[in-house]
Amino acid sequence: MMKKQIITIAGGGSTYTPGIIQAVLNNADRLPISEIRLYDIDAQRNADMYLIIQYMLEKEGFKDVVISSTEDPGTAFTGCDFIFSQIRVGGMKMREKDEKIPLSHGLVGQETCGLGGFAYGMRSMSGLLEIVGYVQKYAPDAWILNYTNPESIVSEAVRRQYPKAKMINACDMTISIEETIAINYGYDRKNWIPTYYGLNHFGWYTSIYDKELKRDVMPEIIEKLTTQEMQVADFNAGDKTWQEAFSMMSVITKNFPQNIPNNYLEYYLYSDMVVEHSDKNYTRANMVMEGREKNTREMAEKIRGGATKDILNFNFGEHGQYIVDMATSLLNDERRRFMLIVPNQGAIPNLQSDAVVEVPAYVGATGVEPISLREPISDFHKGLMEAQVAAEKLLVDAYFEGSYQKALQAFTLNQTVPNARVAKKVLDEMIEANKEYWPELV
Ligand code: NAD
Ligand code: G6P
Ligand code: MN
């Protein structure tokens, strides 16, 4: 019988934890578990999540699975097999600043893109490197499956400090795009073998081979995208932000009909439109605080109040299933295919080898095997990506060297920024706002 696994969730209090644990339980035949540990620096969030997961385990009949929550890294990581990492350094309150400070200067204010993403990156690197350090110390054989954002930046930092870390960096956006396309235009995503390249939240599909239809369906999907905007799928139902994001895919595709884009390219290619549509006093962070965060607190409150029915209320689409599929692929050598964030090393042949890119990769018992695209990419995509890679690398330099100059160069090079003057203004405000979190820059 397969050894039962111990899973530690780093950022246990994350709003995504219930969705991930639900996926773990749904796949217990491929991923048998003996223990779930919630690790967080926030005891209150951890305690809330403990109640929710304990409730879920009972409801689903997993009486033998041990659940614990802890703020102590030794207790959290010693002897564990998998770490699912999803921390948010500074929480939603700092995300709100990431979004509002650039917007107050007329620039894109977003969680992972533009200068908000860079500010978040400077906070997130320290938190994630700390987690990777704990795992090296307490569970060196365990796999870290990481969702923590901004993925390109944190992956670059880990690549530098812990080049041998057993870590897989993944983003759910490509499956979310594929699922939304399939639902809108009447396909079954399970039949698809998509090919895609780029950086995280910054990439393009090159083909989507459908095994049942026996053809590349990307050209016909592009045709559909240009004539009929997509509606959000049920897992994003009623969500205005995601509706706008998927509508923007039509704008991008009309102008650049060679590929299906990642929706996040809107922030770089149409930053003016995005700023126009933004409310600088009420951003995505506000929506999430009043939505997902409040909802999670309410689930815990209901359990505390003794309720026994109608407690669980969440739907994150394939987010949990995707990370669970990675774990089972490692554990059972399933060699499933994922879009993963990996050092390039020739996967995109005409892009620098030390860029961190997002490409298809197979996952099995020996880890990650990215595929090489073989074909060189176009000058348009290459130019956009090279500027972004350089900006991200400068930001990571700034973090490790404590260099103000490198941070200013990174902020200036970011493609949502029109000039060095505004880059400096936003940087100086971000330094002030992030005093508790960023390394000192001199
Ligand atoms: P959240 O704020 O609800 O949860 C994050 C948790 O991390 C909080 O409970 C917080 O206390 C904890 N935390 C913060 N710093 C920590 C540290 N140093 N050590 C341990 N725990 C710490 O955020 P969320 O909306 O659930 O998102 C969680 C993370 O997952 C974010 O980084 C988000 O960007 C990322 N995310 C990534 C993807 C993806 O596709 N890659 C998808 C969704 C979310
Ligand atoms: C997608 C992206 C994530 C991002 C999330 C934001 O899932 O792939 O990287 O963190 O969206 O969602 P939110 O609801 O927090 O704005
Ligand atoms: Mn993502």
Side-chain angles (χ1 to χ4, degrees):
M1 216 178 82
M2 215 190 303
K3 175 186 169 287
K4 291 194 172 179
Q5 306 288 301
I6 301 176
I7 296 178
T8 300
I9 312 269
S14 157
T15 46
Y16 287 97
T17 300
I20 289 179
I21 300 300
Q22 186 66 60
V24 169
L25 302 183
N26 293 348
N27 292 272
D29 52 336
R30 294 190 292 140
L31 182 60
I33 52 164
S34 60
E35 197 177 335
I36 296 167
R37 300 177 188 164
L38 305 175
Y39 169 70
D40 207 291
I41 51 169
D42 184 328
Q44 180 60 52
R45 294 180 71 109
N46 229 3
D48 281 2
M49 197 52 67
Y50 176 90
L51 289 177
I52 296 168
I53 303 305
Q54 188 188 41
Y55 173 87
M56 196 185 266
L57 288 170
E58 262 175 41
K59 182 172 163 278
E60 302 269 335
F62 286 84
K63 298 216 164 43
D64 297 340
V65 173
V66 176
I67 162 86
S68 61
S69 67
T70 179
E71 293 78 64
D72 173 58
T75 312
F77 298 111
T78 305
C80 77
D81 300 295
F82 286 103
I83 296 93
F84 295 172
S85 153
Q86 43 174 354
I87 64 169
R88 184 187 289 285
V89 176
M92 286 293 166
K93 278 283 160 208
M94 288 308 295
R95 175 177 180 176
E96 187 181 8
K97 293 190 182 173
D98 295 341
E99 294 168 349
K100 290 186 177 172
I101 291 174
L103 271 174
S104 73
H105 293 273
L107 305 184
V108 167
Q110 212 277 328
E111 178 197 21
T112 63
C113 299
L115 298 186
F118 275 13
Y120 183 22
M122 286 292 268
R123 290 197 303 281
S124 204
M125 281 187 268
S126 62
L128 194 68
L129 288 170
E130 185 180 74
I131 302 276
V132 179
Y134 290 145
V135 175
Q136 304 287 305
K137 182 170 170 195
Y138 296 113
D141 296 329
W143 276 99
I144 305 172
L145 307 187
N146 181 51
Y147 264 148
T148 303
N149 267 321
E151 289 261 16
S152 290
I153 292 163
V154 297
S155 302
E156 171 68 17
V158 172
R159 186 185 74 81
R160 291 191 196 183
Q161 186 157 330
Y162 298 106
K164 295 207 157 69
K166 288 176 73 177
M167 180 163 183
I168 299 184
N169 292 293
C171 164
D172 64 11
M173 201 61 239
T174 51
I175 37 154
S176 180
I177 290 173
E178 289 158 32
E179 187 75 359
T180 305
I181 291 176
I183 291 170
N184 269 274
Y185 302 136
Y187 295 93
D188 183 353
R189 184 177 73 74
K190 299 278 178 298
N191 296 329
W192 284 358
I193 307 174
T195 301
Y196 174 95
Y197 67 77
L199 313 172
N200 182 233
H201 292 182
F202 199 108
W204 298 267
Y205 287 87
T206 58
S207 67
I208 299 182
Y209 185 75
D210 189 304
K211 288 185 278 185
E212 279 293 307
L213 301 172
K214 298 196 171 19
R215 62 171 188 264
D216 175 8
V217 293
M218 189 177 82
E220 63 205 65
I221 292 170
I222 290 177
E223 185 65 35
K224 290 175 175 134
L225 267 170
T226 57
T227 49
Q228 181 200 332
E229 273 183 17
M230 291 195 287
Q231 299 302 307
V232 284
D234 63 340
F235 54 90
N236 282 323
D239 193 320
K240 186 172 153 281
T241 318
W242 284 111
Q243 183 54 58
E244 278 174 11
F246 285 116
S247 297
M248 280 302 287
M249 284 180 68
S250 287
V251 174
I252 304 175
T253 315
K254 270 179 205 155
N255 287 287
F256 304 100
Q258 296 77 21
N259 304 87
I260 299 174
N262 189 303
N263 58 288
Y264 277 90
L265 283 164
E266 69 171 310
Y267 296 109
Y268 299 96
L269 300 177
Y270 297 95
S271 48
D272 57 339
M273 283 176 80
V274 168
V275 172
E276 256 168 51
H277 290 159
S278 303
D279 179 346
K280 59 183 187 330
N281 300 310
Y282 190 83
T283 58
R284 181 71 188 166
N286 299 109
M287 289 179 215
V288 175
M289 284 188 273
E290 286 170 23
R292 215 163 61 225
E293 253 194 348
K294 181 161 164 274
N295 184 43
T296 306
R297 271 198 312 274
E298 283 172 359
M299 287 194 276
E301 277 316 307
K302 280 189 188 165
I303 300 169
R304 264 197 204 97
T308 52
K309 269 202 263 162
D310 302 327
I311 287 162
L312 301 179
N313 172 21
F314 59 85
N315 180 5
F316 302 132
E318 297 282 307
H319 177 90
Q321 187 63 44
Y322 202 51
I323 200 164
V324 166
D325 283 343
M326 273 171 243
T328 65
S329 230
L330 287 163
L331 192 61
N332 310 318
D333 194 31
E334 287 166 14
R335 296 162 196 239
R336 287 167 187 259
R337 183 171 160 126
F338 303 88
M339 302 303 173
L340 296 179
I341 299 152
V342 295
N344 184 23
Q345 290 170 344
I348 302 173
N350 55 339
L351 189 79
Q352 68 197 84
S353 68
D354 66 349
V356 170
V357 297
E358 187 166 328
V359 290
Y362 288 90
V363 174
T366 56
V368 176
E369 294 176 323
I371 69 162
S372 152
L373 294 176
R374 312 196 75 80
E375 295 272 318
I377 62 173
S378 72
D379 283 337
F380 178 48
H381 293 177
K382 185 164 172 280
L384 288 166
M385 283 167 70
E386 282 174 344
Q388 180 71 4
V389 168
E392 287 171 356
K393 280 190 180 291
L394 284 164
L395 190 84
V396 179
D397 290 347
Y399 174 83
F400 282 114
E401 297 166 21
S403 165
Y404 179 89
Q405 178 55 214
K406 291 278 182 76
L408 180 58
Q409 290 176 8
F411 270 53
T412 305
L413 193 51
N414 189 296
Q415 287 163 90
T416 63
V417 177
N419 59 65
R421 198 170 71 98
V422 72
K424 183 165 169 30
K425 278 191 183 171
V426 176
L427 175 60
D428 290 343
E429 261 187 61
M430 286 296 193
I431 289 174
E432 193 55 31
N434 282 277
K435 259 195 205 135
E436 260 184 76
Y437 302 100
W438 284 17
E440 196 191 351
L441 300 179
V442 288

